[in-house]
Amino acid sequence: MRSAFIMNMDNKNYETLELDKILDMLAAECSCEDSRKIALATVPSTDLYTVKQEIGKTTEALELSVKYGTPNFYNIHNVTASLNRAKSGGTLSLSELLEIKKVLGQTYELTRWFDRNENKETSLSYLFESLFPNKYLWQRLETAILDSEHLSDEASPDLKAIRQKITRSGLKIRETLDKMIKSPSTQKYLQENIITMRDGRFVLPVKTEFKGQIGGLVHDTSATGSTLFIEPISVVEANNDIRILQGKEQDEIHRILMEFSKECADMSEQIISSYDAAVMLDVYFAKANLAAKMRAMTPEISDDGVIILNKARHPLIDEKKVVPVNFSIGETYSTLVITGPNTGGKTVTLKTVGLLTLMTMCGLLIPASDGSRISIYKRILVDIGDRQSIEHNLSTFSSHMNRVKDILDEADYESLVLIDELGSGTDPIEGAALAVSIIERLRQLGATLITTTHYQELKMYALDTADVENASCEFDVNTLKPTYRLIIGSPGKSNAFAISSSLGIDDEIIDYAKSLISEDNRRFETIIDNLEKARIELEENNRLAEKYRAETERLKAELTEQREKFYEQKEAELERARREASDIVNRVQRQSQALIDELDSLRKDKEKSDFTQRAIEAKHKQKSTMNKLYLEANPVSEERDDGYVLPRPLKKGDTVLMTDTNRNAIVVTPPDEKGICFVQAGIMKTKVDVKKLRLVEKQQPVKTNQKKKPQGKGVSTKGVESRMTRRFSTELDIRGYAADEGIHETDSFIDNAVMSGITMLTIIHGRGTGVLKNAIRAHLKRHPSVKSYRPGVYGEGEDGVTVVELK
C-alpha cells in the first residue's frame, strides 16, 4: 500500500532546494500520525512509470475532490498491535477498542463517499477496494463505548440491569441517611448535614466525641481528627449489596470487552487492510488539497531532458509577491547561462526549476500553467548559496569549488545540474576561464545545466557555442529595478553603473570606471543594449498585435451574433408571411369552392353536354390554381438542389424535413401525380413540392419510469409535455387529472392521432376511485373518431388503461 520511492539522491540537494519545507506543508494537510510520517518521508522517484502513476493518483484525487468534495479523514491510530494481541486471546482495553472504532468509522465514511462516484475505475480504486466496512461492529462499538474509561448502559441488557439495581440501592440508602441527617436527635452529632462516600460506601460525618451515639462502622477520619466517617448500621447491608452489584458490573464489563475483542480479532486482517488503505488515501488527498491551495496543475512528464514551465511560481514565495516565470530547456539547447543584476531573480529561477522537478518526482502537482512539462532525472546536483566553511578553513571560492568537484564526479547524461554564480569568488579572468571549462566538461558528460553568472566571457561563450543559450533577468533601466522576468535568448547586463548612480555614487567615479573598461567590452555592452532595445520594441509590437487580434475577435463575435439575430428575425418574418399566405389561400379556396358548388348545382339543372364539360374544366382549373397558390405561399426562399433522392415514396404520417424552412412536418396526404403533398408543421398546413422534402426516420421513444404529477388546475406541465411528445407516442398518461382535464387531453390526443394516421391508442388513467376512468370511457363511447374501445388485458395495464381503435 505504501508509496515506493527510490532514495538515491543527496539529501543536501533537497535541503538546498527546500523540498523539506514542501513536505512539511504536505504533512500539515494530513489527518493522522502515520500519513504525516509518510508525507515527511517522501523522496523523489527516478522511475518514469512510478512518477506517472503517483502523479495520476494525485490528479484523480484532486478531480474527485472538485466533483464530490474532499472525504472526511479522522485522526486514526495504528491498531495493528492491539489486533494482534486480540488474536492471541488477549482482552482489549476500552481505549484500544475506541481506536478500532475510529478505524471502522473511517472505513465506513470512505466507502460511503466512494459509492457516490460514478466512475469506479480510477487509479485510486484499489485503495477503496481494500476497505472492508463492518457497519454492525462499528455501530455496536459506537453505542457501547462512551470514552476511553466508560462503557454505556446500552453495551448489554445485563449491564444496564445491574447498573439500574445499583442506582436504586443507592437511592434507598440516601433516603435512609437523609432521614437521619434531618432528624433533630441525630443532627447534633454530625459535623455537617451531608451524605458522603468513603471506599465506595455511603457514610455520615460524625463528631469524634459522639462516636458512640451513632452505631455503625468507622471507615475514615478527617485530617484534623475531629470527624469520623461512620457507616450507620442500618445501611451496612444495603452498601454490601451495592458492593456485590459493583462486582457483577465489573464482571459484565470484562465479559463485554472479551466479546468485543474476539469480534475484532476475527476481523483483524480486514481492519488492518482498511487502516493501511485509509492512511494512503489520506496522503493522496492531502497532495490534492496542497495542489488546490497552490493552484497547481498536472505537468506532462518525460525522461528526455526537456523542461518547459509556463508561468511557474516558486511555491514558498507569497503568491501576491512572486512573479511567474516562463522557462524552457532541452529542446534546442541543454545548457542555459542566466545573467542579470543582483536580486534580479536568477537564483529564484534556479530554485524554481529544481524544486518543481523534485515536486513532480514526489508525485506532487506544480504551481504552473497549462502546457508545462517536467523531465525526470536520476540525479539533481545543486550548488546554490555561500557555503563558506570556517570549521574546515575553506573560503567561499574553495567551498564552491569543492561542491563543483563533487558535481563533476557524479554528473552524467541523466543529471540536472544547477550552479549559482559559477566561477565566482576569485580573479574574474581566471574565474571566467574556469567556468567555461567546467561547462564544457558537463556538456561532454551530457548533463542538463543551468547556471548563473556576471561574467562577460560566459555571455560571449553562449553566443558562440551551439547547444548553449543565453538568458537574462529583465531590468527596468527607467525605474532601476528588476522586473524578475526571464528573457531566454538574450544576455543581460549587471547594470552596476546605473545602480551605483541611483544610490548616489559620484558621477566622476562612475565615468572614470567606464573609461577603464576595454573597448571590446564596451562594444559588447553596446550590442547587448541594442539587442535589449530591439527586444523591448518587438515585445511592444507583439503586445499591440495581440491587442488588435483580440479586438478583431471581439468584432467578429459581435458580427456573428448580429448575423444570428438577423437569421432569427428573417425566419420569424418568413413564418409570418407563410401564415398570411396560407390564410389567403384558404380564403380563396373557400370562395372558389363556393363557385364550383354553384356550377355543380347548375349542371344538375342543365343537361347540355357542353355546359357540363365547361363545369368539369372549371373545377380542374380551380384545383390547379390552388396548387400554384400554395407553392407561391410556402417557399419564400429557394434551396440549392443537392441531389437528394427519397429512399421510398412518402406516405401518410411520415415525418419530413422542409428544406426551405429547415422545419419538421407530418405528411397529411401522399404526393399526387404532380409531386405535391399536404403537410402539417405545428398548427400550419401547407402544400409542398416533394422535391423540397427530406424523409426523417423515426427514432424509438425513450421510456422512462419518472412520472410527474399534475400541478393543480392551473397550467399542467404534464399536458404540455404530452402535447410535445405525442407525435412519437401512442400512449397518453392522464393519471391524477380531474375528469374534465382528462377529457380535454384525450380529445387533443385523438385529434393529433387522426392527423398522424395512427389507429390504435392507449389511454392510461389508472384505477383510483373510477371517476376518471368512467368519464373517459363514457366520452369515448360518443366520440365521432372512435371505432371501438376496450379495457386493457394482462400485460397492458388491465383496468387501469383503455385501448382505443380509431376509424
Side-chain angles (χ1 to χ4, degrees), residues 330-556:
E331 291 183 309
T332 58
Y333 53 89
S334 60
T335 300
L336 189 65
V337 178
I338 305 176
T339 53
N342 291 324
T343 71
K346 302 189 301 297
T347 305
V348 171
T349 299
L350 281 184
K351 287 189 171 184
T352 300
V353 174
L355 181 55
L356 297 195
T357 301
L358 286 176
M359 286 175 63
T360 302
M361 295 166 69
C362 287
L364 297 169
L365 308 190
I366 60 173
S369 294
D370 293 341
S372 296
R373 179 175 174 178
I374 293 291
S375 180
I376 303 305
Y377 295 92
K378 295 295 183 184
R379 281 163 290 278
I380 296 182
L381 307 171
V382 181
D383 179 32
I384 298 176
D386 185 359
R387 297 196 177 189
Q388 184 174 1
S389 173
I390 298 175
E391 180 181 353
H392 294 93
N393 195 28
L394 296 177
S395 66
T396 299
F397 177 74
S398 298
S399 176
H400 175 60
M401 284 296 106
N402 195 41
R403 180 57 189 149
V404 169
K405 175 186 176 300
D406 292 339
I407 290 174
L408 291 171
D409 290 341
E410 297 179 57
D412 59 14
Y413 69 96
E414 294 181 308
S415 301
L416 173 63
V417 179
L418 308 173
I419 303 179
D420 193 22
E421 301 293 350
L422 179 59
S424 63
T426 187
D427 177 76
I429 296 176
E430 293 181 355
L434 187 60
V436 169
S437 181
I438 291 170
I439 292 174
E440 277 296 313
R441 171 58 64 86
L442 290 171
R443 289 183 60 227
Q444 291 172 9
L445 293 172
T448 301
L449 171 63
I450 309 170
T451 183
T452 66
T453 186
H454 287 284
Y455 292 146
Q456 295 279 27
E457 290 81 358
L458 263 68
K459 302 176 190 177
M460 297 178 69
Y461 165 77
L463 288 172
D464 295 337
T465 308
D467 197 40
V468 181
E469 185 62 88
N470 270 304
S472 61
C473 288
E474 190 180 53
F475 186 82
D476 191 335
V477 293
N478 296 319
T479 63
L480 297 178
K481 292 182 180 179
T483 66
Y484 303 104
R485 286 182 59 208
L486 182 69
I487 310 299
I488 294 179
S490 173
K493 296 176 60 179
S494 296
N495 293 289
F497 295 149
I499 294 173
S500 300
S501 179
S502 69
L503 295 175
I505 302 298
D506 191 277
D507 290 343
E508 292 184 2
I509 296 176
I510 294 173
D511 291 340
Y512 181 66
K514 289 180 179 178
S515 68
L516 296 177
I517 298 177
S518 67
E519 182 63 27
D520 289 342
N521 282 338
R522 279 201 295 271
R523 284 201 300 270
F524 184 73
E525 289 294 325
T526 301
I527 293 172
I528 292 178
D529 280 341
N530 292 335
L531 285 173
E532 183 67 10
K533 290 176 182 178
R535 182 189 63 78
I536 293 174
E537 183 179 353
L538 179 60
E539 285 191 352
E540 178 63 19
N541 290 337
N542 288 339
R543 186 188 66 80
L544 290 174
E546 180 62 25
K547 176 183 176 182
Y548 295 145
R549 187 195 65 78
E551 181 68 17
T552 302
E553 291 293 330
R554 185 184 63 80
L555 292 174
K556 180 181 177 181

Side-chain angles (χ1 to χ4, degrees), residues 75-93:
N75 183 19
I76 56 178
H77 293 87
N78 197 330
V79 294
T80 303
S82 298
L83 290 169
N84 288 335
R85 190 161 60 83
K87 287 174 66 177
S88 301
T91 301
L92 303 181
S93 66

Side-chain angles (χ1 to χ4, degrees), residues 241-258:
D241 291 341
I242 288 178
R243 294 301 290 268
I244 293 172
L245 288 170
Q246 287 173 340
K248 291 182 178 180
E249 179 189 21
Q250 291 304 313
D251 290 342
E252 179 63 13
I253 288 174
H254 183 69
R255 186 196 68 78
I256 293 170
L257 294 181
M258 287 184 62

Side-chain angles (χ1 to χ4, degrees), residues 534-726:
R535 182 189 63 78
I536 293 174
E537 183 179 353
L538 179 60
E539 285 191 352
E540 178 63 19
N541 290 337
N542 288 339
R543 186 188 66 80
L544 290 174
E546 180 62 25
K547 176 183 176 182
Y548 295 145
R549 187 195 65 78
E551 181 68 17
T552 302
E553 291 293 330
R554 185 184 63 80
L555 292 174
K556 180 181 177 181
E558 288 181 359
L559 288 173
T560 301
E561 183 180 358
Q562 291 176 1
R563 184 180 63 182
E564 292 299 325
K565 288 182 178 179
F566 169 76
Y567 284 145
E568 290 176 3
Q569 293 173 354
K570 173 186 174 183
E571 185 60 32
E573 289 297 321
L574 289 175
E575 181 66 18
R576 186 182 61 81
R578 292 188 192 100
R579 289 177 182 272
E580 293 179 354
S582 181
D583 290 342
I584 294 171
V585 170
N586 288 331
R587 187 166 60 252
V588 172
Q589 185 181 26
R590 288 193 297 270
Q591 294 173 355
S592 63
Q593 186 62 44
L595 292 175
I596 295 297
D597 291 341
E598 184 178 353
L599 286 174
D600 283 340
S601 64
L602 292 174
R603 184 174 56 82
K604 293 177 183 178
D605 295 337
K606 301 289 185 178
E607 295 299 328
K608 296 181 179 180
S609 59
D610 59 341
F611 187 87
T612 301
Q613 183 62 33
R614 285 198 303 269
I616 293 172
E617 290 174 355
K619 193 169 185 176
H620 286 309
K621 185 177 181 181
Q622 182 267 345
K623 286 184 179 180
S624 177
T625 302
M626 287 304 102
N627 287 339
K628 291 180 180 179
L629 286 172
Y630 274 116
L631 292 175
E632 290 172 0
N634 179 33
V636 179
S637 59
E638 292 292 332
E639 292 290 326
R640 289 183 299 177
D641 184 12
D642 56 3
Y644 176 84
V645 178
L646 286 169
R648 59 173 174 80
L650 295 179
K651 60 183 180 180
K652 183 179 179 180
D654 281 342
T655 301
V656 293
L657 174 69
M658 297 190 293
T659 58
D660 53 352
T661 62
N662 199 33
R663 295 183 64 194
N664 281 357
I666 300 296
V667 176
V668 178
T669 61
D672 58 16
E673 66 276 11
K674 294 184 179 180
I676 305 299
C677 65
F678 223 139
V679 299
Q680 179 169 359
I683 64 171
M684 186 187 75
K685 296 179 183 176
T686 184
K687 284 190 176 182
V688 184
D689 193 330
V690 73
K691 295 178 182 178
K692 298 180 180 180
L693 299 179
R694 303 290 184 266
L695 180 64
V696 177
E697 295 295 337
K698 295 184 178 179
Q699 299 179 350
Q700 293 297 324
V702 179
K703 296 184 179 180
T704 175
N705 293 326
Q706 298 178 353
K707 298 180 176 62
K708 298 183 180 179
K709 293 185 177 180
Q711 303 173 352
K713 293 186 178 181
V715 178
S716 171
T717 58
K718 188 171 186 177
V720 174
E721 180 185 356
S722 68
R723 286 192 293 273
M724 292 172 61
T725 60
R726 200 165 294 158

